[in-house]
């Protein structure tokens, strides 16, 4: 589908949440992972709005037919506006996600939509009145929007890394029984044990909110090991159809290992902003040329 398409930008939690809901069919058609689907992203928006520091402004760049309708491409960003440089990352960047595979997506139905989405992201940033930096990470290899960004900005740096996969070997490692349940009440009993090992408040909020939301959808399995009358191990696994994604775990008896997972791709590019460059150029013309001595 490459009919008439417009590019628009939505700013703020309410408008971005509406774009997330509108993109549900697109995410489903492109088999987006659970961490790039509407329930997870809704939890991220709620957590970021509840925590004012660091200050992050949600933004959505949307490609689709003129007027209301289903989008053909979507980029969900978080703009960090504190400090002299605005840094744009993918919505939810830095928060705990299941490892082993690319957790993020820049949704684009085809190459034309990917090109328009890349242009829209750059238009959003170059229209700022301050220097900016775009730093996207956690995307799959061969992402068409990353390729389009690199074509439009030859100074962009594209790099790969490897994800880390949490491996569930609790059944082989412990002598006692491993109890597994999708009951949300079991989740609420295990969450304090798991979150006690997480120092970052925003990460704790995301794990709590996303786990409860997905448990209500039947997408969280809780594994527990008890010994001596107390909890000795706990593991949250996201269940997405046939996929099982070990997510957050803590164990005093072993059985949780980390191995290298699939490769990830990211892109970084920066610019001076819409007004700063002319201001600097005018100021430079006012400075007299001074010969430099040997």
């Amino acid at each position: 589908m490459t009919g008439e398409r417009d590019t628009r930008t939505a700013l703020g939690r309410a408008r971005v949440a509406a774009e997330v809901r509108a993109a549900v069919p697109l995410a489903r058609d492109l088999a987006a992972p659970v961490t790039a689907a509407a329930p997870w992203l809704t939890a991220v928006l709620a957590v970021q709005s509840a925590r004012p520091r660091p200050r992050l402004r949600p933004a959505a760049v949307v490609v689709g037919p003129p007027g209301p309708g289903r989008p053909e491409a979507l980029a969900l960003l978080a703009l960090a506006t504190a400090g002299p440089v605005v840094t744009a990352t993918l919505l939810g960047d830095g928060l705990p996600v299941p490892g082993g595979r690319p957790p993020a997506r820049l949704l684009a139905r085809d190459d034309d939509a990917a090109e328009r989405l890349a242009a829209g992201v750059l238009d959003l940033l170059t229209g700022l009145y301050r220097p900016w930096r775009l730093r996207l990470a956690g995307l799959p290899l061969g992402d068409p929007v990353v390729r389009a960004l690199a074509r439009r900005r030859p100074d962009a740096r594209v790099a790969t890394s490897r994800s880390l996969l949490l491996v569930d070997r609790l059944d082989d490692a412990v002598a006692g029984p491993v109890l597994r349940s999708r009951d949300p009440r079991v989740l609420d009993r295990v969450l304090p044990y798991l979150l006690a090992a997480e120092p970052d408040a925003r990460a704790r909020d995301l794990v709590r909110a996303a786990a409860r939301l997905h448990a209500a959808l039947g997408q969280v399995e809780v594994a527990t090991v008890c010994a001596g009358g107390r909890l000795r191990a706990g593991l949250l696994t996201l269940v997405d159809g046939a996929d099982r994604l070990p997510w957050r775990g803590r164990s005093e008896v072993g059985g949780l290992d980390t191995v290298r997972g699939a490769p990830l791709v990211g892109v970084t590019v920066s610019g001076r902003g819409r007004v700063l460059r002319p201001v600097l150029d005018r100021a430079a013309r006012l400075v007299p040329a001074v010969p430099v001595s040997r």
Side-chain angles (χ1 to χ4, degrees), residues 55-243:
R55 187 172 60 205
L56 298 173
R57 188 180 190 191
V61 179
V62 188
V63 176
R70 293 182 176 181
E72 299 296 315
L74 175 66
L76 297 170
L77 306 174
L79 306 180
T81 58
V85 178
V86 177
T87 299
T89 58
L90 289 172
L91 184 68
D93 180 71
L95 294 176
V97 295
R101 64 185 69 182
R105 288 295 187 276
L106 292 166
L107 301 176
R109 191 173 294 280
D110 51 44
D111 288 340
D112 174 72
E115 288 285 348
R116 292 173 183 265
L117 186 62
V121 169
L122 292 175
D123 286 346
L124 167 65
L125 297 173
T126 55
L128 297 174
Y129 288 90
R130 294 159 57 187
W132 54 268
R133 179 188 304 111
L134 176 67
R135 190 181 69 240
L136 307 181
L139 295 162
L141 288 179
D143 184 277
V145 183
V146 171
R147 293 201 305 266
L149 286 168
R151 282 194 297 268
R152 290 177 174 272
R153 289 295 300 259
D155 58 327
R157 298 193 303 274
V158 178
T160 59
S161 60
R162 291 295 292 270
S163 62
L164 294 177
L165 172 65
L166 181 63
V167 180
D168 176 6
R169 296 195 176 103
L170 287 173
D171 291 302
D172 300 329
V174 300
V178 180
L179 302 180
R180 300 180 185 271
S181 172
R182 296 195 191 184
D183 190 336
R185 294 171 295 181
V186 177
L187 170 68
D188 283 336
R189 291 198 294 269
V190 174
L191 274 175
Y193 174 80
L194 294 176
L195 297 179
E198 176 55 66
D200 182 74
R202 188 171 292 215
R204 290 196 302 269
D205 289 351
L206 186 278
V207 171
R208 186 183 296 108
R212 286 173 172 166
L213 179 56
H214 287 81
L217 300 173
Q219 293 183 314
V220 174
E221 180 191 88
V222 184
T224 56
V225 177
C226 294
R230 68 183 185 89
L231 193 62
R232 301 295 301 277
L235 173 66
L236 304 183
T237 299
L238 289 176
V239 182
D240 184 19
D243 284 342

Side-chain angles (χ1 to χ4, degrees), residues 3 25 40 65 71 90 158 227 256 265 273-274 276 291:
W40 184 278
L90 289 172
V158 178
L256 296 179
V265 69
R274 189 167 69 180
L276 183 64

